[in-house]
Amino acid sequence: MTNKAKLLGAGTSFGQARGGISARRAAIDATAVAPTEGAPPPVKLPLDAISLNPANPRSELGDLTALAASLRDHGQKTAISIMGRFAYLEGNPDRKDGLEEGTKYVVIDGNSRLAAACEAGLTEIKVMVDDDLGSTPDEILESALVANVHRQDLDPLDEAKVLQQLLTVHGTQEALAAHLHRSQGWVSQRLALLGLTPELKEKLQSGEESAALLRRVGKKKPEDQAEHLKHLKAKKQKTDRAAETKPAPPAQDYYRVI
């Protein structure tokens, strides 16, 4: 273990694999779950030592006002996951120009929290350091994706774009689903959003239409999508009205002699 790893308490913090699980698989899983008993505690690092990830799955971080206020008023509950700058660039050599100058680490899971901490005027942030989060662009992207997928807070279109990129690595939806510990149907439904017309993608991003319905529309021909969405919405409204007007079951007579 290097002196840097000893100083940071990092080493193989995520990578103590057991039972045939690879160090990288354990590292990815650890970005999405709470630390288990015996795991090394997170350490604190200055914000200006950590760069945002230029290959972040999120295309936009969005409004960070509420998150910044929470970090400032209530503190940071979950550590972010980071890699050393050198290890990150070994896996992502084309991203050098996207890293913030003078930083020694790159965030893999926690871009929003890092940016919000800066917005809140904090000087330090809790981190878990691990260079086993990926040795190629796709592995690093997967590490970031898995964490977001488990939290279910990734923009639906961003999620679909990342899944499409990972699909080129794993070859089939079945293999990708197994790698992400999801079903093939789960992967297929999310990839369907990429087949939406530009108009429907815009409505998805604006919140005018739900991802749940549009996932059932994306596999249709572009010229049929608007009509199919209209049909699905009408069917849903009819089902909702039926549920609202359904009479309540009669109250049970607990005093009836059986």
Side-chain angles (χ1 to χ4, degrees):
M1 186 182 298
T2 65
N3 291 333
K4 179 185 293 185
K6 291 179 180 178
L7 175 64
L8 294 172
T12 54
S13 57
F14 294 129
Q16 297 294 341
R18 295 290 186 270
I21 300 175
S22 69
R24 196 179 73 80
R25 182 70 255 170
I28 292 174
D29 290 343
T31 66
V33 298
T36 56
E37 184 178 353
V43 297
K44 285 188 176 183
L45 287 178
L47 294 181
D48 58 11
I50 310 168
S51 174
L52 292 172
N53 184 359
N56 183 34
R58 295 176 182 274
S59 57
E60 299 289 342
L61 291 179
D63 186 357
L64 300 172
T65 304
L67 180 55
S70 176
L71 288 171
R72 182 177 57 249
D73 298 339
H74 305 292
Q76 180 187 355
K77 306 303 181 184
T78 307
I80 66 173
S81 298
I82 66 175
M83 295 178 68
R85 183 188 183 101
F86 179 76
Y88 178 85
L89 288 177
E90 278 192 319
N92 261 317
D94 296 334
R95 295 290 184 174
K96 182 177 181 180
D97 292 341
L99 297 181
E100 296 166 57
E101 189 176 352
T103 54
K104 297 181 179 179
Y105 306 93
V106 183
V107 63
I108 303 303
D109 172 33
N111 270 269
S112 295
R113 278 169 286 164
L114 178 62
C118 292
E119 187 172 309
L122 304 181
T123 59
E124 293 183 322
I125 192 167
K126 295 177 185 177
V127 303
M128 295 293 286
V129 187
D130 187 11
D131 290 347
D132 286 334
L133 288 171
S135 58
T136 67
D138 292 311
E139 288 181 352
I140 293 172
L141 183 65
E142 182 188 17
S143 295
L145 170 68
V146 170
N148 282 281
V149 163
H150 279 276
R151 286 199 304 271
Q152 299 181 332
D153 63 353
L154 191 62
D155 176 84
L157 274 178
D158 284 343
E159 181 182 58
K161 292 173 184 176
V162 175
L163 287 172
Q164 181 63 47
Q165 184 172 339
L166 293 174
L167 184 60
T168 64
V169 177
H170 295 284
T172 66
Q173 291 187 11
E174 290 80 3
L176 175 57
H179 208 68
L180 296 176
H181 305 292
R182 298 282 177 168
S183 68
Q184 183 272 330
W186 183 93
V187 172
S188 176
Q189 289 168 7
R190 277 145 185 82
L191 289 174
L193 293 179
L194 298 178
L196 292 172
T197 62
E199 294 78 13
L200 290 182
K201 285 181 180 177
E202 187 174 332
K203 289 183 178 182
L204 171 61
Q205 291 182 302
S206 68
E208 184 178 343
E209 301 291 354
S210 74
L213 282 180
L214 290 178
R215 286 176 183 135
R216 301 169 62 185
V217 173
K219 292 183 179 180
K220 298 291 183 180
K221 294 180 180 179
E223 60 269 25
D224 297 334
Q225 289 181 10
E227 187 62 30
H228 187 60
L229 177 61
K230 183 178 179 181
H231 168 73
L232 290 176
K233 291 172 72 174
K235 184 177 180 181
K236 184 177 184 302
Q237 289 176 353
K238 183 177 180 180
T239 302
D240 291 344
R241 284 196 299 268
E244 291 174 359
T245 58
K246 184 178 180 180
Q252 186 174 355
D253 183 359
Y254 290 99
Y255 297 99
R256 182 167 59 89
V257 177
I258 299 177

